Amino acid sequence: MAPLTDERRAEIQAALDAVPAPPWHWIGDTKHQGPMLATKHSGWIYVMGFKRLGMHGAQPAFPVKGPDGYLLITPCREIEERSSVAAKEVAIPRAPYDPDTVRGIDNPVAKWLEHSAQYAKELLSQVEWLRAKLDAPCGSCHPCTNYADETWRAAGRTPPHVAEWDERRAELERLKEQRAALIALHEYDELIFGGFICLHCTPDECDDPDDNVMWPCPSLRAVGMTDDEAIALIEARRAEIEKAARERAEARAVTGG
C-alpha cells in the first residue's frame, strides 16, 4: 500500500472537474426518451443518455459543453452536424482502417465512467494508507519528538486539536492524582481471621463486626477499583513489608545487633 502521488491526485481531480458536478441521479421514462443520468441541481444537467443505433442497438449519449451549456449528444459523427458545439469525432475507432469498431469515447463523462472504479479503488487504498499512518507512531502527532521543545506553543500556534488533547491529558492527570490520594486515604487493615476492612470508613470504636466496612470500600469501588486491582495492591504492599523486614535483618546481622 503506497500513498497517492500528487500527480495522480491532480489527474483524478481534473477528471472530476471536467464533468457536471455531482450528485447525479437517473430520470426519464421507459417509453419515449428512456432513462437519463442527470444532475440533482441546476435544472437537471444531462450527464448520460441513450440513442437508437440501427434497428436493434443503442449508443450512449454524453454532454458536450457549448455556448448554451451542456448539450446531450451522441458519441458519433452526429456531433459534426451540430453548429452549437465544436465539431469533434468522439468515438475512437480501433484502427484507421476500421472506423466502425469503437475502442474508446473521447468525452469527459465517458472517460470518468470508464475510470471511476479504478479511481475509487485508488482513493479507498489511500484512505487505508492514511488510517495505517494514524494508527502507527508517525512522528507528526502530539506529543512527538519533532515538537519536543514545544516551540510552536511558545509562538502561540497551538493547533485546536492539540490544545484539546492537552486539556484532556491534564484532566486525566488530575483524576489520576485524585484517585491515588483517595486510595491512600482509604487504607486497609487485614483481619486476623481473614478479610480486609477500610480503616477510613470503619468507625474507630467498632465493637460489632457487622459495622466493619470491607475493603475495597464503596468509595474505592466508585472510582473503579476492581478485585484484581485490590489484590495487586495487597500483594505489592506485602512484598514491600517483606523486603523491609529482610533489609532490617541483614542490617542487624552486619552490626551484630
Side-chain angles (χ1 to χ4, degrees):
M1 187 182 301
L4 199 66
T5 64
D6 292 341
E7 292 77 8
R8 182 57 172 168
R9 184 194 60 78
E11 181 182 342
I12 296 175
Q13 184 64 55
L16 179 60
D17 293 341
V19 303
W24 302 343
H25 64 161
W26 288 101
I27 60 174
D29 56 58
T30 59
K31 295 181 179 179
H32 304 291
Q33 292 183 329
M36 293 177 291
L37 190 62
T39 65
K40 288 187 175 182
H41 56 81
S42 306
W44 287 357
I45 298 174
Y46 290 149
V47 179
M48 177 181 177
F50 300 91
K51 285 196 173 183
R52 176 179 292 180
L53 181 63
M55 295 299 293
H56 304 288
Q59 56 183 330
F62 297 103
V64 170
K65 195 171 185 178
D68 53 350
Y70 282 99
L71 300 176
L72 191 64
I73 54 91
T74 59
C76 296
R77 294 179 177 82
E78 284 185 30
I79 189 172
E80 297 179 355
E81 300 174 2
R82 296 177 180 268
S83 60
S84 58
V85 296
K88 182 181 180 182
E89 176 64 59
V90 293
I92 301 175
R94 182 177 68 89
Y97 58 81
D98 187 11
D100 294 330
T101 303
V102 176
R103 287 296 182 267
I105 300 176
D106 187 10
N107 177 272
V109 174
K111 291 180 179 179
W112 176 263
L113 294 175
E114 180 180 357
H115 300 297
S116 58
Q118 180 63 28
Y119 292 158
K121 179 181 178 181
E122 294 181 22
L123 293 173
L124 288 174
S125 178
Q126 175 75 354
V127 170
E128 292 303 316
W129 180 79
L130 291 172
R131 285 179 175 175
K133 292 286 288 183
L134 290 174
D135 290 341
C138 61
S140 61
C141 296
H142 179 74
C144 71
T145 56
N146 290 347
Y147 299 96
D149 58 355
E150 298 195 351
T151 54
W152 49 268
R153 190 189 300 275
R157 299 196 310 270
T158 306
H161 67 281
V162 173
E164 181 182 355
W165 192 93
D166 284 344
E167 292 175 359
R168 292 187 177 183
R169 180 176 63 172
E171 178 64 19
L172 180 60
E173 291 300 324
R174 286 194 295 269
L175 292 175
K176 287 182 178 178
E177 293 174 359
Q178 294 173 4
R179 189 174 187 272
L182 188 65
I183 292 175
L185 177 64
H186 290 261
E187 183 60 87
Y188 70 84
D189 186 27
E190 187 169 358
L191 301 177
I192 297 176
F193 300 104
F196 301 85
I197 63 171
C198 177
L199 295 177
H200 181 75
C201 296
T202 299
D204 294 335
E205 301 296 332
C206 183
D207 298 328
D208 189 347
D210 291 337
D211 292 335
N212 288 332
V213 178
M214 304 308 294
W215 190 91
C217 60
S219 296
L220 295 183
R221 296 287 189 185
V223 295
M225 178 174 283
T226 63
D227 291 340
D228 291 340
E229 184 182 3
I231 293 172
L233 286 174
I234 293 170
E235 291 177 346
R237 189 74 53 81
R238 286 175 176 173
E240 292 176 0
I241 294 173
E242 292 175 359
K243 180 181 179 182
R246 286 196 304 271
E247 291 176 349
R248 288 194 299 269
E250 292 172 357
R252 285 195 300 267
V254 171
T255 59

